[in-house]
Amino acid sequence: MTLESHRPFIEDLYRELHASPELSNREHRTAARMAELLRETGFDVHEQVGASTGVVGVLRRGDGPTVLLRADMDALPVTEVEQVPYRSTATDVFDGQSTGVMHACGHDTHMAALQGALRILADQDDWSGTILAVFQPAEETMDGALGMQEALRERFPEGIDVALGQHVMPGAAGEVRSAPGPVMAASDHLIVTVHGRGGHGSQPEKTIDPIVLAASMVVRLQTIVSREVAPSDRAVVTVGTFHAGTKQNIIPESARFEVNTRSFEEPVRRRILTAIERIVQGECQAAGAPPATIVRGDIAPLTINDEAAAVRVGEAFDAVFGEQHQLQQPLLGSEDFSYLPEAWGAPYVYWMYGGFDPAIVAAARERGTFDVDVPSNHSPDFIPVMQPTLDTATTAMVTAARAFLA
């Protein structure tokens, strides 16, 4: 059967998944649905792989390479704008607060496309080898793939020959972008707690105000990239959360903020982390405050595509997509996908596909308003157009898999 015959299934599944998102490590309904569909397609199914929601499907068809195909399942604590009839109205509690839940990073397209690709591959009888279909939890918290590593090694000790994954991005639907070498940055997450001395808001002289102190740190941290990292090196330092205080006339005992960094080179990464430590503790010393507490949070590795495998995928994409296949420039976004092939020391390829109206994207690029007019991942209006996004993602996964299956 062809893509055309499976298209209604893929589109219906996408609507279903988009309307029923679940947060990281809570993908119980989603995981059960993925397992159900794998069984329908004829895969042997392994559930609770490394986590309560990790799912792996296996389709063996004679001798040949073992190819891992991956889709991530988790959604984000984002309240979706009202734009499509299948919008998410799901809610959950995140970090102690009630929030909307949305597939604001497009993982619903990843799952729908992979399920569609598996059905197409299962229908075809002109290949041999083994497909390992991995539906991974908790990509957004960067612990999903790492949490599956040991279980994957134990359940599949024979290993794999290559791992393949993809991600929807702001860009024209129908486009596919790939490249050998580094394609996504490493990420570090730091949780900084500043300790002051609380008191009455009318008597600041009797306190060490942790809000003023933490605010000064936030401003100083912005100078790391502009003044301590070479202009030729790409890096980002972002403060994404800031929490302090309970009442307007109380100076609190502490303040907390969280820092996210991105980098492509280990020396740059070390320089950034060292600078954060120096600035934070230096500001504390200058204010007469005790040292701040700095705790490491989520860590994501560099995503570096294997040279030979990426060239093979790129040539296959050229043959299928023509001019719609373009070179992917390194992105400062991060991924935990590479932890999966790392379980066996196997090569991998990770590529991108566009998800938005090509006319809107082209006009935005022409006006120089791409960053304003085209939604970015993690935003409440990151809602890819259904087609040709799903057709492209499904075809890309089939094409890449067939490049390796015998």
Side-chain angles (χ1 to χ4, degrees), residues 32 34 73 120 130 132 141 198 205 222 313 320 336 358 379 402:
M34 295 300 101
M73 300 187 291
I120 293 170
T130 299
L132 217 63
T141 52
E205 75 280 3
Q222 307 311 306
V313 169
V320 171
D336 70 345
S379 68
R402 289 300 305 260

Side-chain angles (χ1 to χ4, degrees), residues 167 169-170 175-185 232 234 264 302-305 324-334 350-353 365 370:
H167 206 298
M169 297 298 290
E175 288 182 353
V176 179
R177 295 177 180 267
S178 71
V183 290
M184 298 193 81
S232 57
R234 299 181 67 188
F264 280 105
L302 272 170
T303 302
I304 306 176
N305 283 339
Q324 290 290 83
H325 175 230
Q326 301 172 20
L327 181 67
Q328 174 62 54
Q329 298 298 323
L331 298 172
L332 282 161
S334 298
Y350 195 74
W351 65 88
M352 315 297 168
Y353 58 92
R365 285 173 173 160
F370 180 86

